[in-house]
Amino acid sequence: DVVMTQSPLSLPVTLGQPASISCRSSQSLLHSHGNTYLSWFQQRPGQSPRRLIYKVSNRDSGVPDRFSGSGSGSDFTLKISRVEAEDVGVYYCMQATHWPWTFGQGTKVEIK
Amino acid sequence: EVQLVESGGGLVQPGGSLRLSCAVSGFTFRSYWMNWVRQVPGKGLEWVANIKDDGTDKYYVDSVRGRFTISRDNVQSSLYLQMDSLRVEDTAVYYCASVQRGFPFDYWGQGILVTVSS
């Protein structure tokens, strides 16, 4: 199985400041037909997960533009340009190139 | 409004069976892959199973293959997870979801707790 490794696992941030989460995969996530199926999910306390980003850098509907994704191959990043209070929660990267789809361990974002 | 509503969870003894259901409304169910994802309380997410829109292809994580069966009813717009030979380590909140890997389509249920304990 593809192992997804996130860092850091805990991220205290100041409101209005940027935040960045790294995700590395144990093998390339480039699919044979040219797409890279790397997604980012947000799970707020007490809520179901919600996807923010699909195929590395594409925002899902309704996702604020302060969230952005980048990367290629096996190295990816989620950035929040200016953290807001509603961004508190756990963020997971997930690969859907290889079965079984696998998640990272999660990064807990909290306000300092 | 899109809704995914899980039912059928609860307490079961090790070795027992449980069938989860997910009633879907608000989108054309028969056109999309469907998924089950689980989460041990306080822990991370684990993808459990996927089923193609027409039900012909199914994928499972190794830890449940041979014990769990994903299925769907495109007339009733319902997704199912038959869970047999349950183990203590299957204890988790199970989410019904429709996450399409290549385009912006992502919907989740509220989750349902399955507890396997004697």
Side-chain angles (χ1 to χ4, degrees):
Chain A
D1 297 359
V2 177
V3 177
M4 305 296 289
T5 303
Q6 291 182 226
S7 63
L9 299 184
S10 178
L11 184 56
V13 295
T14 301
L15 287 173
Q17 292 300 303
S20 179
I21 301 170
S22 171
C23 175
R24 290 195 166 94
S25 57
S26 60
Q27 56 184 280
S28 174
L29 300 186
L30 178 62
H31 195 280
S32 57
H33 57 55
N35 288 316
T36 299
Y37 296 110
L38 185 284
S39 295
W40 290 95
F41 290 81
Q42 174 195 62
Q43 188 173 30
R44 291 170 172 153
Q47 294 188 12
S48 301
R50 162 202 184 196
R51 193 175 65 182
L52 302 174
I53 301 286
Y54 67 97
K55 286 199 302 183
V56 181
S57 60
N58 295 273
R59 273 189 300 275
D60 273 280
S61 302
V63 174
D65 60 7
R66 65 179 180 274
F67 291 95
S68 64
S70 63
S72 64
S74 59
D75 196 353
F76 305 93
T77 302
L78 175 71
K79 291 183 178 176
I80 310 173
S81 59
R82 294 173 306 280
V83 172
E84 298 189 4
E86 66 179 17
D87 300 335
V88 166
V90 182
Y91 292 76
Y92 298 91
C93 61
M94 189 216 77
Q95 68 81 22
T97 296
H98 308 281
W99 185 256
W101 297 0
T102 46
F103 289 94
Q105 320 96 300
T107 294
K108 186 174 185 178
V109 172
E110 56 187 11
I111 305 300
K112 279 183 187 175
Chain B
E1 180 193 6
V2 172
Q3 287 194 315
L4 290 79
V5 180
E6 301 97 339
S7 59
L11 175 64
V12 61
Q13 291 189 337
S17 296
L18 216 52
R19 189 194 196 206
L20 302 183
S21 299
C22 175
V24 175
S25 59
F27 64 85
T28 307
F29 179 79
R30 65 180 181 273
S31 298
Y32 297 97
W33 286 68
M34 294 296 297
N35 330 106
W36 287 101
V37 178
R38 67 184 178 183
Q39 184 173 36
V40 174
K43 302 296 184 182
L45 299 168
E46 180 181 40
W47 218 279
V48 175
N50 276 11
I51 185 168
K52 194 179 176 185
D53 49 9
D54 61 5
T56 56
D57 286 340
K58 303 175 184 181
Y59 298 89
Y60 301 93
V61 68
D62 283 351
S63 58
V64 309
R65 187 177 295 112
R67 301 187 299 119
F68 289 12
T69 303
I70 188 172
S71 62
R72 64 191 296 159
D73 182 335
N74 283 350
V75 174
Q76 298 291 327
S77 295
S78 293
L79 177 71
Y80 305 101
L81 187 67
Q82 176 66 41
M83 303 186 293
D84 298 321
S85 303
L86 281 160
R87 304 169 180 167
V88 171
E89 55 265 33
D90 294 318
T91 295
V93 173
Y94 285 73
Y95 293 99
C96 165
S98 185
V99 178
Q100 312 305 304
R101 67 177 183 173
F103 54 95
F105 194 93
D106 170 68
Y107 295 103
W108 294 70
Q110 81 284 357
I112 193 157
L113 179 62
V114 171
T115 303
V116 185
S117 174
S118 53

